[in-house]
Amino acid sequence: MTATTIKQLLDACFTAKKITETMEELPKGMKPRHIHVIDAIFEQEKLLGEVCVSDVSNKLNITTPSVTKLINELEDMGILKKYIADYDKRVTLLSLTDKGRAYEQHYVTAYHTEWAQQLITEITDAQAQDAILVIQKLQEAMPIRRASHE
């Protein structure tokens, strides 16, 4: 791959990020990151039954303090609830409220279904999987640069 192609790929990633930030208008006080957390909790609940903060952090590949801040905001909005695990009082579990489930249905399931229907003849699942793989490989290969303080 050439440096020019990497630049074009990174430009496409920037465009993709902007696309995710321009989804339909969210309720007052909500951010696209909140929707990602709601989706992660919903998906992890289906997969694991119970969801803790680290499950969400791992699923979204963001730090635990960052996800904790978002979770607290969602709890304040009545979108999820936190509770202590019966098996270990040190473990905080998460569950979507009815409002949270309604948001997941509207802003994730229905939204993605509608969008997929619009693209059904334009982009195949195989093409989408190729794009996902390229982005994952790009992330894995990203050089780590440390700022010099000299």
Side-chain angles (χ1 to χ4, degrees):
M1 181 177 300
T2 67
T4 301
T5 304
I6 285 286
K7 182 188 178 315
Q8 290 171 336
L9 184 56
L10 292 175
D11 287 346
C13 288
F14 180 75
T15 300
K17 182 179 185 301
K18 288 181 79 167
I19 289 168
T20 65
E21 294 169 349
T22 57
M23 59 191 298
E24 72 176 283
E25 189 171 341
L26 297 173
K28 185 172 172 46
M30 288 205 58
K31 307 172 216 170
R33 299 291 289 177
H34 289 133
I35 299 300
H36 290 173
V37 171
I38 291 168
D39 183 39
I41 293 169
F42 181 79
E43 291 297 322
Q44 294 299 100
E45 257 183 338
K46 285 192 317 191
L47 185 67
L48 305 171
E50 294 182 327
V51 182
C52 62
V53 175
S54 62
D55 295 329
V56 177
S57 177
N58 292 336
K59 172 89 173 150
L60 297 177
N61 197 26
I62 58 177
T63 65
T64 302
S66 293
V67 87
T68 298
K69 180 179 185 284
L70 293 166
I71 285 168
N72 289 337
E73 291 169 356
L74 289 168
E75 183 182 35
D76 290 344
M77 290 185 254
I79 293 168
L80 64 81
K81 62 182 177 180
K82 296 188 289 190
Y83 61 99
I84 303 299
D86 292 336
Y87 57 86
D88 187 339
K89 301 297 180 204
R90 298 169 296 174
V91 176
T92 299
L93 299 173
L94 309 168
S95 179
L96 295 175
T97 62
D98 289 342
K99 183 178 182 180
R101 291 188 188 290
Y103 281 3
E104 188 286 329
Q105 175 59 36
H106 179 79
Y107 293 104
V108 180
T109 301
Y111 185 72
H112 291 172
T113 299
E114 179 184 339
W115 204 359
Q117 288 301 311
Q118 290 175 356
L119 294 170
I120 200 160
T121 61
E122 303 293 322
I123 302 171
T124 67
D125 282 350
Q127 289 170 320
Q129 290 299 325
D130 286 345
I132 292 165
L133 181 64
V134 167
I135 291 167
Q136 289 170 339
K137 289 195 177 294
L138 183 64
Q139 182 181 22
E140 291 168 8
M142 182 181 291
I144 298 174
R145 302 271 190 237
R146 303 218 190 283
S148 174
H149 297 291
E150 297 174 23

